[in-house]
Amino acid sequence: MMNPIPILFLVLAVLAMVVNIFLFAHYGVMQGGVFSLSGLALRVILLLVTIGCVMMAWRHRSYDAFKNPKQRWADKLRRWSFESERFDAIHLEWSYQKVQARVLGRYLAEKYAGMRCVVLREPIMKDVAGKNSVNPAIEGLREGLENHVTIVKELEIGNLQKPEPLPEGEEEPVEMGLKKNNPWTAADLEEMLAEAGDFDLLISCVQLPEDVMDDHGRFTLPSLRGRKVALLGGYSQAYDSALAEGNVVAAVTFKPDCRFDEKDIPADDKEAFDKRYLLLEGGPRVEVLPDLLPVLPTQE
């Protein structure tokens, strides 16, 4: 994305120069044969504004200027330049993602303090400098877990199914027709978990492979036997049995009546979480059904 700050200053410099030239062309230095001190002062001010705008455009040609905490005005100018309805919508969704991760993290920190966990997530995008960009779900999860549950490994699903190198001199075949997406399987996840080392809890921010669990809610992977699973993303009714058996210890899902027309997010995490999400706790449940038979009046 192009940096708009230098362009803004250059536009102001051009406008100041145009006004200065206009005043000089129409009024000159003398007005009615009398030297105009105020007119000269105005043109000097416009000239200084032009020079200052050019200097500021050169100084802020890079976004690095915004990293200086002393230049708070530059940060306000950046926000004014970038904030729009689309930016606000993205920021709102990121805030909700961070809240749901933080609430789940706090629950796990309270129930399973001292455990070591592995986080399964999507690849984190890189910024223009090649550094990892912000991932609101991971940030919120870390804030919620604090130091009570230790993240020993983060696994990226983008590292799956690496193509084997072709023999020397052989070219990759050209696929005909529509390219099919090959979904990852339980075998892929097993390979990743086997390389993750020792852990007690798997926190998945993505949808797990379909064949990772049997019909009785038991995980089919050797690497998950005796370990617990929490679902920050990808929960569906297919995991109800695993949740009831306690194999899935917690899961976050959207509320049935959830709406996405909010303009802002509540400051309180619980209030914000309750607007969109449900936290499902693993383990057997006792469902209390209402009395179906009507209560008959007693005869006197």
Side-chain angles (χ1 to χ4, degrees):
M1 183 180 293
M2 183 178 295
N3 187 353
I5 306 303
I7 298 176
L8 178 62
F9 279 116
L10 289 176
V11 170
L12 292 176
V14 171
L15 289 176
M17 181 60 70
V18 168
V19 173
N20 205 345
I21 295 174
F22 175 81
L23 293 176
F24 182 80
H26 285 268
Y27 299 102
V29 180
M30 308 289 291
Q31 294 184 2
V34 180
F35 182 79
S36 175
L37 182 62
S38 60
L40 178 62
L42 178 59
R43 286 191 288 274
V44 170
I45 292 175
L46 289 173
L47 180 61
L48 292 177
V49 169
T50 302
I51 296 174
C53 287
V54 172
M55 293 177 61
M56 295 304 294
W58 174 257
R59 184 177 183 182
H60 294 92
R61 65 191 184 278
S62 171
Y63 284 111
D64 293 339
F66 300 132
K67 298 179 182 179
N68 187 350
K70 295 181 180 180
Q71 299 187 21
R72 298 185 182 276
W73 66 269
D75 183 65
K76 293 181 179 180
L77 188 58
R78 175 186 62 83
R79 291 178 180 273
W80 174 80
S81 302
F82 285 104
E83 283 186 356
S84 61
E85 291 185 1
R86 181 173 179 271
F87 179 83
D88 291 341
I90 294 175
H91 185 267
L92 181 66
E93 292 305 314
W94 282 0
S95 300
Y96 270 107
Q97 289 181 27
K98 195 171 184 178
V99 162
Q100 67 164 324
R102 192 158 52 227
V103 169
L104 177 65
R106 288 171 182 165
Y107 174 81
L108 296 175
E110 179 183 353
K111 297 292 184 180
Y112 305 102
M115 285 192 173
R116 298 158 296 177
C117 76
V118 168
V119 177
L120 184 64
R121 58 168 172 79
E122 295 179 344
I124 295 180
M125 299 179 62
K126 303 288 185 179
D127 58 18
V128 293
K131 299 180 181 179
N132 287 340
S133 59
V134 176
N135 187 308
I138 300 301
E139 278 197 352
L141 197 58
R142 289 185 178 276
E143 292 175 4
L145 294 175
E146 293 184 343
N147 296 323
H148 302 293
V149 176
T150 304
I151 299 178
V152 297
K153 189 76 172 179
E154 291 185 21
L155 302 177
E156 291 187 355
I157 61 172
N159 291 335
L160 298 170
Q161 299 178 348
K162 295 181 180 179
E164 297 182 0
L166 296 173
E168 187 176 355
E170 184 176 339
E171 297 182 357
E172 185 176 356
V174 178
E175 296 185 5
M176 303 298 293
L178 296 177
K179 185 177 180 180
K180 296 181 180 179
N181 295 324
N182 296 321
W184 65 312
T185 64
D188 297 320
L189 179 58
E190 173 63 21
E191 181 179 354
M192 296 179 67
L193 294 177
E195 298 176 357
D198 192 16
F199 65 95
D200 309 299
L201 171 67
L202 172 66
I203 303 177
S204 180
C205 303
V206 298
Q207 186 173 1
L208 295 176
E210 294 181 357
D211 52 348
V212 78
M213 183 182 60
D214 61 21
D215 296 335
H216 301 285
R218 295 172 297 194
F219 290 103
T220 59
L221 306 185
S223 295
L224 289 180
R225 290 173 185 167
R227 294 185 169 106
K228 303 181 184 300
V229 175
L231 299 177
L232 180 59
Y235 180 81
S236 67
Q237 291 183 346
Y239 293 97
D240 285 350
S241 55
L243 196 68
E245 292 294 329
N247 296 322
V248 173
V249 297
V252 175
T253 185
F254 287 101
K255 298 176 65 174
D257 56 347
C258 175
R259 300 178 62 182
F260 297 90
D261 56 354
E262 301 96 341
K263 298 301 181 181
D264 54 11
I265 181 171
D268 180 69
D269 277 2
K270 185 179 185 306
E271 183 180 354
F273 185 89
D274 291 342
K275 286 178 70 70
R276 284 194 177 188
Y277 309 107
L278 293 173
L279 177 61
L280 307 179
E281 302 178 11
R285 294 171 176 75
V286 178
E287 186 175 1
V288 180
L289 298 176
D291 294 333
L292 300 181
L293 296 178
V295 178
L296 299 178
T298 55
Q299 296 181 354
E300 296 181 356

